[in-house]
């Protein structure tokens, strides 16, 4: 009886590991998630969809590995498992993998690493080094944020909010882009200077907390109409606050978050799946660009604004296409600086209230 039970458990485990994967022994392509899952409606899911798409189209085996905890040691342990599982290419989604990949790229020189939204460095940030077996992919968050701010004002909103997570460069670029987009739209619409107000905060985390929900609720109660939630699970707190209010909206981030809440009017997106697919295409096409950093923007379909499931009141697909073209051809000049202050953006039509916790 015990032997039969053990056999059943082994069989169940094997079936779980093989579920959704290609044929063959071992897994050639691997994704190591952060502490989240592959259906997190964020970085893990977007990256997994790109890897899975390439793998299924090209008959490659694939698997994901989820760390036991959110530490560098746990991330590195998951990478070790992926290598032992036969991975030739390992995709790591997010800046939390910067230190683990820094260590793994020299530990496993024959394995290729795709690091999204970060560049490898030591734990003390003293040394940055991208080895030839690592490809880093960054995104023009300021362009995606610009689209969100521009669309919000064109849609008739005048009281906006930006709720960032940790004040890391990527989040700052989203926020500054959002402000610049609102500024450009207000100028085009001939609105009076100072007519757009924005509440602006970095929560210092990427978590869904009572504090983050209470802050968003306070903004909504004070008149804020729509909040650009740019901080991972912080967005869940903002959505909860919007759902508890009437006529309040949220702009999501990184992937199309429309299914998360009926209050999500659109999302500023990084085309994570596209970028993973492009990286794998380069690897198998003998065009591996290791040792370098790609910065993906509108010119290579790296960022965008979710329109397929958008709930804008008047901002149309034609409006979006014109905006996208304007960013692409340089009509709109967007600063990508993250080491300046909001005052340095030179805003006239947008008045920003910075909220410090």
């Amino acid at each position: 009886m015990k032997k039969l039970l053990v056999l059943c458990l082994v069989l169940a485990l094997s079936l779980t590991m093989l579920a959704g994967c290609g044929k063959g022994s071992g897994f050639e392509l691997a994704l190591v998630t952060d502490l989240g899952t592959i259906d997190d409606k964020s970085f893990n899911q977007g990256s997994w969809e790109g890897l899975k798409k390439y793998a299924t189209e090209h008959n490659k085996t694939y698997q994901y590995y989820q760390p036991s905890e959110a530490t560098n040691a746990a991330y590195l342990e998951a990478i070790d498992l992926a290598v032992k599982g036969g991975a030739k290419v390992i995709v790591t989604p997010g800046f939390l993998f910067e230190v683990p990949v820094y260590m793994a790229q020299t530990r496993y020189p024959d394995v290729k690493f795709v690091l999204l939204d970060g560049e490898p460095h030591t734990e003390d940030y003293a040394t940055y080094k991208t080895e030839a077996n690592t490809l880093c992919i960054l995104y023009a968050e300021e362009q995606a944020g610009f689209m969100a701010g521009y669309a919000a004002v064109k849609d008739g909103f005048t009281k906006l909010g930006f709720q960032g997570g940790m004040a890391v460069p990527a989040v700052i670029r989203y926020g500054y882009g959002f402000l610049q987009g609102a500024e450009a739209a207000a100028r085009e619409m001939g609105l009076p200077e100072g007519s757009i107000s924005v509440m602006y905060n970095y929560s210092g985390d990427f978590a869904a907390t009572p504090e983050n929900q209470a802050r968003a609720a306070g903004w909504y109660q004070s008149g804020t109409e729509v909040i650009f939630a740019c901080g991972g699970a912080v967005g869940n707190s903002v959505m909860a606050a919007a759902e508890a209010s009437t006529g309040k909206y949220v702009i999501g981030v990184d992937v199309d978050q429309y299914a998360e809440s009926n209050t999500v009017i659109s999302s500023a997106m990084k085309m994570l799946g596209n970028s993973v697919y492009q990286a794998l295409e380069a690897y198998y096409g003998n065009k591996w660009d290791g040792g370098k950093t790609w910065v993906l923007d509108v010119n290579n379909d790296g960022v965008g604004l979710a329109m397929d499931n958008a709930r804008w009141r008047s901002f149309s697909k034609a409006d979006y296409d014109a905006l996208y073209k304007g960013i692409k051809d340089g009509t709109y000049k967007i600063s990508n600086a993250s080491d300046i202050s909001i005052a340095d953006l030179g805003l006239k039509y947008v008045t920003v209230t910075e909220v410090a916790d």
Side-chain angles (χ1 to χ4, degrees), residues 41-332:
K41 306 296 191 298
S42 190
F43 255 74
N44 293 311
Q45 181 170 338
S47 304
W48 176 246
E49 288 174 351
L51 184 147
K52 182 178 179 180
K53 182 174 187 290
Y54 186 91
T56 53
E57 288 181 1
H58 297 85
N59 196 32
K60 305 295 182 184
T61 54
Y62 60 101
Q63 180 59 283
Y64 72 91
Y65 299 82
Q66 186 174 350
S68 58
E69 59 183 11
T71 63
N72 290 331
Y75 293 146
L76 193 58
E77 182 179 334
I79 290 173
D80 292 340
L81 288 174
V83 174
K84 291 175 183 176
K88 292 182 179 179
V89 183
I90 298 176
V91 177
T92 56
F95 74 95
L96 292 173
F97 286 95
E98 290 177 326
V99 174
V101 170
Y102 180 85
M103 295 184 284
Q105 65 185 353
T106 53
R107 180 181 296 185
Y108 303 112
D110 296 328
V111 176
K112 299 297 189 289
F113 294 91
V114 179
L115 174 56
L116 305 180
D117 224 31
E119 295 175 298
H121 60 74
T122 54
E123 201 160 357
D124 60 2
Y125 291 88
T127 304
Y128 279 78
K129 176 65 175 177
T130 302
E131 299 289 352
N133 59 328
T134 297
L135 169 63
C136 302
I137 301 179
L138 301 180
Y139 302 86
E141 293 94 357
E142 70 282 355
Q143 292 181 352
F146 185 97
M147 295 179 203
Y150 182 95
V153 173
K154 283 285 187 176
D155 204 54
F157 294 108
T158 60
K159 298 184 183 300
L160 318 179
F162 174 78
Q163 181 54 72
M166 294 175 65
V168 296
V171 174
I172 295 171
R173 284 192 291 268
Y174 265 132
Y176 285 7
F178 184 66
L179 299 177
Q180 292 175 80
E183 176 84 359
R187 183 188 304 111
E188 287 180 8
M189 294 168 70
L191 300 179
E193 291 186 5
S195 59
I196 305 299
S197 62
V198 182
M199 302 296 290
Y200 198 100
N201 173 260
Y202 300 109
S203 66
D205 56 35
F206 291 111
T209 66
E211 292 78 13
N212 289 335
Q213 184 172 336
R215 184 188 310 104
W219 290 3
Y220 284 134
Q221 290 168 10
S222 298
T224 297
E225 301 162 304
V226 58
I227 297 175
F228 180 21
C230 185
V234 171
N236 298 105
S237 296
V238 177
M239 291 173 203
E243 290 167 356
S245 306
T246 301
K248 304 299 183 179
Y249 299 95
V250 180
I251 297 174
V253 74
D254 291 338
V255 298
D256 190 352
Q257 296 185 308
Y258 79 98
E260 292 291 282
S261 171
N262 288 332
T263 64
V264 175
I265 200 166
S266 186
S267 300
M269 300 191 299
K270 296 177 180 178
M271 304 304 192
L272 300 162
N274 287 354
S275 56
V276 171
Y277 193 99
Q278 290 171 27
L280 295 175
E281 205 169 38
Y283 170 71
Y284 285 105
N286 295 317
K287 296 180 181 179
W288 177 252
D289 220 6
K292 297 181 180 179
T293 297
W294 290 354
V295 179
L296 303 186
D297 57 18
V298 295
N299 294 301
N300 40 36
D301 299 321
V303 296
L305 187 66
M307 292 299 295
D308 290 346
N309 304 292
R311 300 180 175 101
W312 297 115
R313 301 170 298 187
S314 61
F315 187 77
S316 67
K317 180 63 164 57
D319 294 328
Y320 173 63
D321 290 342
L323 170 61
Y324 199 92
K325 181 179 180 296
I327 297 175
K328 201 168 185 177
D329 66 21
T331 298
Y332 297 108

